[in-house]
Amino acid sequence: MSYIELHWMYEVFFIGSLDGLWRMLTVPPRHTARCLHLWMWKHPVCTLHRHLSGRRWTGGILGGRGRLLQTLYPAYLSQVTPYSSKKERIDMSEYNVEYIRNFSIIAHVDHGKSTLADRLLEITGCIPKAASNKQVLDKLQVERERGITVKAQTASLFYTYQGKKYLLNLIDTPGHVDFSYEVSRSLSACQGVLLVVDANEGIQAQTVANFYLAFEAQLSIIPVINKIDLKNADPERVEKQIEKMFDIPASDCIRISAKLGTNVERVLEEVVTRLPPPKIEEGSPFKALLFDSTFDHYRGVIASVALFGGEVCKGNKIVLAHSGKCYEVNEVGILTPEEVPAEKLYAGQVGYLTAGMKDVQEAQIGDTVHLLKQPVEPLPGFKPAKPMVFAGMFPVDQSEYSNLKGALEKLTLNDSSVSVSRDSSAALGAGWRLGFLGLLHLEVFNQRLEQEYNASVIMTSPTVPYKAVLSSPKLIKEYGEEEITIVNPSEFPDKSLVKEYLEPMILGTIISPDEYLSKIMSLCQTRRAEQKSFLYIDEHRIMMKYLFPLNEVVVDFYDNLKSLSSGYASFDYEDAGYQAADLVKMDILLNGRAVEELVTIAHSMEGTSQGR
């Protein structure tokens, strides 16, 4: 941009000169567009102007003669103004509880949840219609790179149906089994779900798992068949699968194409007519469930809350039931999906609040929030996540220990399913032993540490938690119990000191085309699996349930299953307790000395082959 153009900008913004404005409007459009692009940087420019001139600027393009530009050149203005940059507080009192619907979108991986969320945001005017709208709610860099949803995200939609204004609170959830804890937490803030199924792939393992999560939570379920625009789409077959598996009539299914926007408007109509409003206690004091939280370096903890009674506004003194600590509310609001401050939040609504919580341990996920001196019965909260995979994490340089500790605390606030305990190693120094819900969860967590906190870490080989029933009275007295859990292989007790070892088991569900049946069965047999059930869900697709040792599944089972089924098989699992097993500790020696960090636990039949 030339000096002359900058001079014209100066005249228009700071002096309010009509002459400068006229010259700016008569230059070729490309120059004007570049000048107007500076509007987004108006505040830094104002600061610079005050610094240079030493006098306070009181004019501005938004006041006085500056309004002329808005009148003469609205097209350019609309291009450079951020779409949802309005920060004025909105009034949420007009949405009575009968006009509120809280719902989640649940599905198997890559069945189109986030694409459907994009279309719903466009239809309700939360975001402008644009070809660039792809997974708008997937805000993390790791989500963009991998093309999967990792964090559940909330957005409030305003929708008018039959002349009445409705507030629809949408939560987009992950589809991978490793992030099922995100799904179960999201469902606690909802009264219904959209169960999205791919018209080409049909019901998959995580579809079944998510259906039962919603069914157990007694939520209303609307089945949505997506991707009907695909050449191989077969919505009739998928409707029959839904009817057979979930006992939902085929007539209840909505056929859509989220990518093209086909029939998506009907989804919103069905949400309004088929889902119930939130159940609240009339006249009860403020009571809210803290179902998610993030950390902001300036504002502290930003808590996502679902209100089950009363109302909350800026200045209220609130108490977290779990910790008992008191805070003053700094801001309340809703997500559209950007943060929009509100005057108040009312019962039945879902939004966010900030209250100057600086310690990341203070905002416990599942906690109940209430007003000071108005205690309430705590909400049930959530079952704590049960880690399935453990790994040691150590800083590359021990001088980075305190920085990594702060990064871990902030990231575990945002991902409460990770368990953290201190660990140390002779070779690697001080660190932590972390528990994850699966191997992908471990990879994503590690990637987020690098991307969001610029932390370099060393991760040890992942292991699963074993148990040992002790026989030595001395050890029982030392541990205080007969049965101990071993998450670090180097602490595995000698066979002479235990009655038996126990290994964790899972109940795995595999859904696949029947042509791959023999290959899948032989794969499961090599992993010491025991078949529990077998079912044809339609003419060509089968559902099998196997009891697996978790150790056999956690590293490469999913990759092998995908490769031998040409990517068509899907896998999901749930915890199935512990079972006695013949386990051995496998040491790896360097120059005749065992290296603690390379120790693993294996089944006695596989110890030699694994070692080789």
Side-chain angles (χ1 to χ4, degrees), residues 354-481:
T354 62
M357 299 178 219
K358 294 298 181 185
D359 186 352
V360 293
Q361 302 301 325
E362 292 169 13
Q364 294 286 330
I365 301 293
D367 206 347
T368 303
V369 188
H370 61 83
L371 293 176
L372 182 65
K373 297 180 181 175
Q374 292 186 29
V376 294
E377 186 73 28
L379 293 157
F382 310 114
K383 284 190 295 185
K386 188 171 183 183
M388 307 291 262
V389 179
F390 286 85
M393 177 181 279
F394 301 88
V396 172
D397 185 344
Q398 278 296 309
S399 63
E400 291 293 311
Y401 181 87
S402 57
N403 291 342
L404 183 56
K405 184 182 178 214
L408 262 181
E409 286 176 347
K410 286 163 189 163
L411 193 50
T412 48
L413 170 77
N414 193 227
D415 186 356
S416 59
S417 56
V418 178
S419 68
V420 183
S421 59
R422 289 198 176 176
D423 196 8
S424 64
S425 149
L428 300 173
W432 298 267
R433 177 128 312 240
L434 305 181
F436 301 93
L437 301 182
L439 210 61
L440 177 67
H441 188 203
L442 183 155
E443 289 173 17
V444 165
F445 188 87
N446 194 8
Q447 203 171 334
R448 287 186 68 186
L449 264 181
E450 289 178 11
Q451 291 173 351
E452 296 172 32
Y453 298 96
N454 200 25
S456 298
V457 297
I458 298 167
M459 297 288 286
T460 63
S461 177
T463 61
V464 300
Y466 295 97
K467 286 187 177 181
V469 181
L470 303 173
S471 58
S472 159
K474 183 183 175 184
L475 275 177
I476 293 171
K477 188 176 180 182
E478 185 185 325
Y479 284 104
E481 55 188 349

Side-chain angles (χ1 to χ4, degrees), residues 50 65 80 259 474 497:
R50 288 200 297 272
R65 287 168 292 181
V80 296
K259 185 179 178 181
K474 183 183 175 184
L497 302 173

Side-chain angles (χ1 to χ4, degrees), residues 19-192:
D19 187 42
L21 174 62
W22 175 249
R23 285 205 298 270
M24 188 169 141
L25 293 178
T26 52
V27 295
R30 60 191 181 88
H31 296 303
T32 314
R34 279 194 288 167
C35 289
L36 282 165
H37 195 68
L38 288 176
W39 278 41
M40 298 180 76
W41 306 97
K42 191 177 61 168
H43 292 297
V45 174
C46 294
T47 309
L48 178 66
H49 169 75
R50 288 200 297 272
H51 174 71
L52 292 173
S53 64
R55 58 192 174 91
R56 191 177 174 211
W57 174 58
T58 53
I61 201 68
L62 297 180
R65 287 168 292 181
R67 288 205 185 92
L68 181 63
L69 185 59
Q70 205 165 14
T71 310
L72 294 174
Y73 243 66
Y76 280 115
L77 268 177
S78 64
Q79 287 173 24
V80 296
T81 305
Y83 194 76
S84 57
S85 60
K86 294 177 284 188
K87 268 294 189 183
E88 67 267 16
R89 296 180 185 278
I90 58 171
D91 182 12
M92 300 297 291
S93 61
E94 60 181 294
Y95 296 99
N96 288 332
V97 71
E98 63 263 30
Y99 297 118
I100 297 173
R101 302 289 184 271
N102 301 326
F103 68 100
S104 279
I105 305 178
I106 57 174
H108 188 77
V109 184
D110 206 28
H111 278 205
K113 295 179 303 300
S114 298
T115 310
L116 174 57
D118 293 343
R119 297 295 85 75
L120 296 178
L121 289 168
E122 286 178 359
I123 289 171
T124 53
C126 291
I127 58 173
K129 290 187 179 180
S132 59
N133 288 341
K134 290 179 182 175
Q135 285 83 43
V136 172
L137 292 178
D138 290 348
K139 298 174 183 176
L140 300 176
Q141 186 182 338
V142 65
E143 292 178 316
R144 297 278 179 181
E145 287 175 2
R146 290 175 176 261
I148 58 170
T149 304
V150 168
K151 275 294 295 175
Q153 297 289 353
T154 308
S156 294
L157 321 175
F158 300 100
Y159 181 61
T160 303
Y161 178 67
Q162 294 183 349
K164 294 171 183 170
K165 282 180 79 176
Y166 287 85
L167 173 64
L168 312 178
N169 295 308
L170 151 73
I171 303 178
D172 181 28
T173 62
H176 197 279
V177 57
D178 283 14
F179 306 104
S180 57
Y181 188 64
E182 288 282 322
V183 181
S184 61
R185 285 198 292 105
S186 303
L187 297 185
S188 65
C190 298
Q191 285 73 50

